[in-house]
Amino acid sequence: MTHEELIDRAARLFKVLGNSLRIHILFYLRKHGESPVSAIVGHLGVSQPVISKQLGILKKYDFVQKRKAGTFVYYSINDQDIVQIIDAMTEHLDHLDRLQ
């Protein structure tokens, strides 16, 4: 992979993470593990179509995976590197809060 390709991929990653609802979803899945869409909707208080659209974007970029069981669709974090990014981001924000 060239340097330019690496930068382009990093920019796509940050673009996906640049949406607060997608970050909320990832934080939820980080804390609760595999969850049905209805649980994510209930926790975040956002309509099911909006959550499903954001989950579709996260799935497109392999951040999450889905599993169907009957009429339910369950999502979980697919990429453990994303967990490390979430943890690093949380630690960084906590550090910034302590500086203020």
Side-chain angles (χ1 to χ4, degrees):
M1 177 180 312
T2 69
H3 182 69
E4 288 300 316
E5 290 170 331
L6 182 64
I7 289 172
D8 288 344
R9 288 184 71 190
R12 281 194 304 272
L13 179 135
F14 284 110
K15 184 176 180 180
V16 173
L17 292 176
N19 177 284
S20 63
L21 185 53
R22 288 193 286 266
I23 293 174
H24 276 290
I25 291 168
L26 290 170
F27 268 78
Y28 180 85
L29 293 173
R30 169 75 169 98
K31 181 177 180 181
H32 299 280
E34 184 181 62
S35 300
V37 174
S38 60
I40 301 167
V41 166
H43 180 75
L44 297 179
V46 178
S47 72
Q48 185 271 329
V50 171
I51 294 293
S52 291
K53 179 180 178 182
Q54 300 309 317
L55 284 165
I57 292 168
L58 290 169
K59 184 173 181 328
K60 176 181 176 183
Y61 291 96
D62 292 324
F63 286 34
V64 298
Q65 60 189 356
K66 76 177 184 178
R67 176 179 68 85
K68 290 187 85 169
T71 59
F72 291 95
V73 178
Y74 293 84
Y75 282 87
S76 60
I77 292 179
N78 185 44
D79 183 345
Q80 291 307 305
D81 290 338
I82 294 303
V83 172
Q84 292 177 345
I85 291 169
I86 291 168
D87 289 346
M89 180 175 48
T90 301
E91 288 175 24
H92 177 69
L93 293 172
D94 287 343
H95 173 76
L96 292 176
D97 281 347
R98 287 190 301 273
L99 293 177
Q100 293 180 359

